[in-house]
Amino acid sequence: MKNQTSVTEFFLLGFSRSLKIRLVLSGLFSVAYTITLVGNTTILMLIWLDSRLHTPMYYFLSHLACVDICYTSSTVPQMLANLQSPRQTISLVSCAIQMHVFLTLATTECILLAIMAYDRYVAICHPLHYTFLMNNRVCMKLAMASWTCGLLLPVAHSALTWQLPFCGPNQIDHFFCEMPALLKLACANTEIVEKVTSVGCFFTLLTPICFITMTYIHILNAILKIQSAEGRCKAFSTCASHMTVVVIFYGSAMFMYMRPKSSHSPAMDKIVALFYSIVTPMFNPIIYSLRNKEVKAALVKML
């Protein structure tokens, strides 16, 4: 951060200035956050306790649950505190940390969802080689790669963003320190940061979604070749949960970061951000448990 930065804290405008509306939203988001924590923690416990879930698919799902817990915890507690406080502020340092942690975990989830698609591709298209291709060592390396990419790829975005001078105004029209909203407050040309962001979106959003699309084309082709209707239904059900999560997460993230700058509006940005920062992490454990017989059986066993 440069010494000429005069702003020491930011005001997060959030959703409304009305105290009553903020208290209602605080209650709703508290419930959503609780469901996220309980649901993802339950998934982690089930996978750890039930030996039937010690497979590559659930290994990656455990990492996804861990990412979602950290992901929501990087923004929601601060948002809840601001909704219940008359001064909706966050310090400059806290804002920088929040933005970087959020980008790190979001990038990790992008890569992890692509890896989970590859796991389903191998399971359905190459079932005889699945055990060999997705052994414990390979799974561990793939999971480590997703976390490593998450740690490294956002570094340039954060470094360039916080080298910009922020000399006022200091009101962020958002409910957390998200980069597009923050760049509007910079007292300098942000063209370089925006170009680096576009390159980053190519690697973290566009490339993985293209890879996922290609894997599902092969998966669909393989499913259609299965003779029995029961076999096709079983094969498709193993992918349906992942496909649902991919559509919600990637759809909202790409709408936020890859649409033209001129089409951005604060109200729309906040609604879209809710999907990939709160809604997706909350629904992930529900989607994977309700559509998965193994998880439901493990839950019944644990209860």
Side-chain angles (χ1 to χ4, degrees):
M1 298 179 197
K2 292 187 176 181
N3 294 329
Q4 70 263 28
T5 300
S6 58
V7 171
T8 58
E9 65 178 8
F10 292 102
F11 289 87
L12 294 166
L13 297 182
F15 297 95
S16 174
R17 293 179 180 269
S18 169
L19 181 60
K20 289 183 178 180
I21 294 176
R22 294 213 310 266
L23 290 175
V24 171
L25 291 175
S26 176
L28 292 174
F29 293 143
S30 295
V31 171
Y33 185 49
T34 302
I35 293 172
T36 300
L37 294 181
V38 172
N40 284 287
T41 302
T42 302
I43 290 288
L44 286 171
M45 289 178 61
L46 291 175
I47 294 172
W48 180 51
L49 293 173
D50 199 315
S51 59
R52 293 173 298 179
L53 302 183
H54 293 174
T55 62
M57 182 175 76
Y58 296 109
Y59 174 74
F60 295 127
L61 180 57
S62 67
H63 280 271
L64 183 65
C66 184
V67 169
D68 283 340
I69 290 172
C70 300
Y71 190 50
T72 51
S73 297
S74 69
T75 58
V76 176
Q78 176 70 48
M79 179 181 66
L80 293 175
N82 285 341
L83 285 171
Q84 298 172 30
S85 171
R87 276 178 54 84
Q88 300 172 257
T89 61
I90 184 170
S91 69
L92 185 74
V93 174
S94 297
C95 189
I97 293 172
Q98 184 185 64
M99 191 193 83
H100 183 69
V101 170
F102 182 82
L103 288 175
T104 295
L105 294 167
T107 303
T108 302
E109 181 150 351
C110 285
I111 306 299
L112 194 57
L113 288 172
I115 291 172
M116 293 174 75
Y118 173 71
D119 171 68
R120 292 299 84 209
Y121 162 76
V122 176
I124 294 173
C125 299
H126 303 282
L128 298 179
H129 300 94
Y130 181 70
T131 306
F132 172 74
L133 293 174
M134 299 300 292
N135 58 62
N136 291 339
R137 191 173 181 179
V138 171
C139 291
M140 192 176 296
K141 287 182 177 179
L142 289 172
M144 191 178 297
S146 68
W147 286 99
T148 303
C149 290
L151 288 170
L152 296 179
L153 289 177
V155 170
H157 304 78
S158 296
L160 289 171
T161 299
W162 293 106
Q163 282 181 356
L164 295 170
F166 294 93
C167 46
N170 63 341
Q171 294 184 336
I172 302 176
D173 198 355
H174 214 293
F175 59 88
F176 71 99
C177 291
E178 189 165 42
M179 190 166 61
L182 195 62
L183 289 178
K184 296 177 182 178
L185 305 182
C187 304
N189 191 344
T190 60
E191 186 177 353
I192 294 176
V193 183
E194 290 168 3
K195 287 182 178 179
V196 172
T197 302
S198 298
V199 174
C201 288
F202 175 79
F203 286 107
T204 59
L205 288 174
L206 198 59
T207 301
I209 196 63
C210 289
F211 175 78
I212 292 170
T213 302
M214 291 302 297
T215 58
Y216 273 111
I217 290 173
H218 288 288
I219 288 171
L220 183 60
N221 187 44
I223 290 175
L224 292 176
K225 291 180 181 179
I226 298 175
Q227 298 297 324
S228 66
E230 184 181 352
R232 288 196 298 271
C233 184
K234 185 177 180 181
F236 183 77
S237 66
T238 63
C239 303
S241 301
H242 181 258
M243 289 171 62
T244 305
V245 172
V246 165
V247 169
I248 297 173
F249 181 81
Y250 274 96
S252 56
M254 291 177 73
F255 184 80
M256 171 66 79
Y257 285 93
M258 299 191 71
R259 77 185 197 270
K261 184 180 177 181
S262 59
S263 65
H264 280 257
S265 70
M268 180 61 70
D269 287 352
K270 293 172 195 176
I271 294 172
V272 174
L274 282 175
F275 277 91
Y276 57 77
S277 63
I278 297 177
V279 175
T280 303
M282 179 180 67
F283 278 110
N284 276 359
I286 299 173
I287 291 169
Y288 278 105
S289 60
L290 291 179
R291 298 188 61 88
N292 197 301
K293 293 180 180 179
E294 289 87 356
V295 173
K296 286 191 286 187
L299 181 60
V300 170
K301 181 181 177 182
M302 186 180 75
L303 293 175

